Amino acid sequence: MIKKEIVLIIFILLITSCKTSIDNSGNVKIRINAKSEYSKDIDFQVFIENEYGNSVNGALVLAQSESGITELFSFDNSSQSYTGSINGIEDDYYNIIVKSNSLSNFFSKKIPHTRLNKKTAVTFFSDSDGNSVLSGNLLKKNLPIQIAWNSLGQNVNYQVLVKNALNTKWTASINNCNIIIPANTLDAGNYYLYINAQKSYGDLFFETENYYSVSNISSSAITFTVQ
């Protein structure tokens, strides 16, 4: 209860001190990272560095979602960042607010985050002769193999991986929901197919944006045999 009361007091002070959201970081560098995995909370990291490149550890940092969830972050020594977790809804915006003596006023940045809430499901998995893995058939290695799966929404990237017991034998990244493995790509043997999905916003390298927001889902494996 004490933590929630502190968050509420801080937020009231913030919205009464200024009616609009601003970025008044000046020489202070602020970077925001938001990440979620399937069925898990959204984990936030806020990195604050002064003009000398040193971490600022005396700030007040909080996030508030448009759906009404507020979370006060704490400083984590191991990562030198402010961290917190929110069990947010599927699609939401999160306003990250920072108050520090290093800032002349306060920093406020609204970032989007989409939580992918279901795994991909393969709907077609067959070679060009019509041998279907979904029907229990073996695939022919000298024929192209077509794979299709359900869409998880717009602007989602998919990584297709084919592995054997030891190594990744073939991989590709694509925005569409179908792909063809060229003929003679896979040798005869047993394999596992994974289709992992990712939806992101911002900039992973913090060059064009000062935030990166990403959600990942790893699919279950489909076992198949090539002859």
Side-chain angles (χ1 to χ4, degrees), residues 108-156:
S108 178
K109 178 73 172 183
K110 184 179 290 187
I111 68 171
H113 189 84
T114 297
R115 292 180 65 183
L116 297 176
N117 59 9
K118 61 180 179 180
K119 298 182 178 182
T120 55
V122 172
T123 57
F124 188 88
F125 193 173
S126 176
D127 63 28
S128 59
D129 268 358
N131 300 302
S132 173
V133 172
L134 302 182
S135 298
N137 302 138
L138 306 183
L139 303 178
K140 296 180 180 179
K141 74 182 192 69
N142 63 332
L143 298 176
I145 301 168
Q146 183 175 357
I147 306 167
W149 56 91
N150 62 308
S151 172
L152 297 186
Q154 295 182 342
N155 302 318
V156 175

Side-chain angles (χ1 to χ4, degrees), residues 55-112:
S55 297
V56 176
N57 58 11
L60 291 174
V61 182
L62 65 86
Q64 185 176 54
S65 70
E66 286 194 343
S67 58
I69 301 173
T70 302
E71 179 71 20
L72 181 65
F73 295 167
S74 58
F75 188 77
D76 176 58
N77 283 307
S78 61
S79 64
Q80 291 293 291
S81 66
Y82 293 83
T83 62
S85 299
I86 295 177
N87 186 13
I89 61 177
E90 181 177 351
D91 284 290
D92 210 346
Y93 283 85
Y94 297 85
N95 195 22
I96 309 299
I97 302 171
V98 178
K99 284 187 71 70
S100 170
N101 290 334
S102 301
L103 304 175
S104 58
N105 194 341
F106 73 92
F107 169 91
S108 178
K109 178 73 172 183
K110 184 179 290 187
I111 68 171

Side-chain angles (χ1 to χ4, degrees), residues 184-219:
N184 297 309
T185 298
L186 303 175
D187 295 328
N190 298 319
Y191 296 93
Y192 306 93
L193 171 73
Y194 299 86
I195 300 175
N196 302 328
Q198 181 182 89
K199 184 162 186 176
S200 63
Y201 304 89
D203 181 11
L204 175 62
F205 301 104
F206 302 108
E207 293 177 346
T208 60
E209 294 280 359
N210 64 346
Y211 77 93
Y212 182 63
S213 172
V214 61
S215 181
N216 298 294
I217 283 185
S218 297
S219 74

